[in-house]
Amino acid sequence: MKHVVKPFACCAIAVVTLAGLNACKKEPPIQSNDKKFSTSLFKKNLQEALASARGYQFVITQNGQVADTAVYGIQDIGGTKSSLQSFINIASVTKTLTAATAVQYMLQKDVTIETKIGKWLPASWPIHPDIRDLTFKQLMTHTSGIRGSQTDWSPLMTTVGSPVTAPKTFEYSNINFALFRAMLPKLNDSVKFRQQELALSPGDFQQWMSQEYIRLVNVHVLSKAGIPTRGCAPVEGKMTQMMSEAPYRLIGSDFGNWTEKCGGGGWVLTTMEMSRIIVYLTHTNNILSPEERQLMDDNRLGWVARFPVTGGIAYGHDGALYVDRNKEEGLNWGDVGSQTLIIRLPAKVELAMGINSLGADWRKVYDIVALAYNKSWK
């Protein structure tokens, strides 16, 4: 009770003192020039920036509570209205979930982020010395020298068996995080992992690792945020689609099943569930302990973006997927896609967002959020 009573007692003393001064000097009340953050203005600014989308959903939270939401347009070419309860492939936002799971093993076992990964890969895989000597930190910060975006089991095994020829400087690669699909099950229980590796066929063992990775993320992240069991497969009848934007004619594409290639992308959640994850990561110790959260923040493990905004520093991770539908190189008009985002901002504000259409180029989501946030102080 002392922590509750003392602040109020101090405030009461301050009020009395100021009242006495005003009575003696007859001066006007002191006015604060501090600006306050407006969630309603933030919402308006974001909506203006997303006006060209076929559909979007976002959730603004402040002080750990939902402050405002926005839903616009359609979620599929059938014209189904967008909803905060519609599911979307969160793409690379998956990396934050994977990192938050992995971090919980970094301070509990005989392993740190500087530990070499070789011991934690399947023993039955041919492992090149260059890969064996990489650290967990290098994977989670995209400084491993690994290149590539294909995350099925076959390209993962090819990568693990090949030399690292690129510089060990930052270069974004989905493979870095997809490798945790093979390592998290071993970090969790190395004895059971080896038993499964010896008992199962290579294909069945891969399926077991995929399912075990999904189970562990559910246990260590989703369930701790009060989210039901989820995975990397579409939720029948409740999925958004990747779509094209006007003036191109409306076309769409489904995300497909990512169960055997998730880790760097592929988790299927609602926007409200993404919001719960960023809120629970930020405002509670349910998912991470203070030490684990500090480790994740200080080393940008699972945060691809860290940049200054009004009042402090923003931490976030975005995701983006597209399908080439117009047969022209690169993303342009006539292709279909989606973008997702979770971001932690100063003023105890968080944002979770899903956008399910693309035009001629990717939206610069961090620029959009930073500008909208900076213009929301009054």
Side-chain angles (χ1 to χ4, degrees), residues 84-88 230 268-275:
L84 289 173
Q85 305 309 320
S86 300
F87 288 87
I88 189 170
R230 302 297 186 210
V268 175
L269 300 173
T270 69
T271 306
M272 186 61 77
E273 289 170 346
M274 283 195 288
S275 177

Side-chain angles (χ1 to χ4, degrees), residues 29-40:
I30 295 174
Q31 300 293 324
S32 172
N33 291 321
D34 293 341
K35 292 184 177 182
K36 293 184 178 181
F37 179 78
S38 169
T39 55
S40 60

Side-chain angles (χ1 to χ4, degrees), residues 101-114:
T101 304
V103 163
Q104 294 176 58
Y105 292 95
M106 298 293 106
L107 298 175
Q108 294 179 14
K109 290 180 176 287
D110 187 23
V111 63
T112 73
I113 59 171
E114 301 295 348

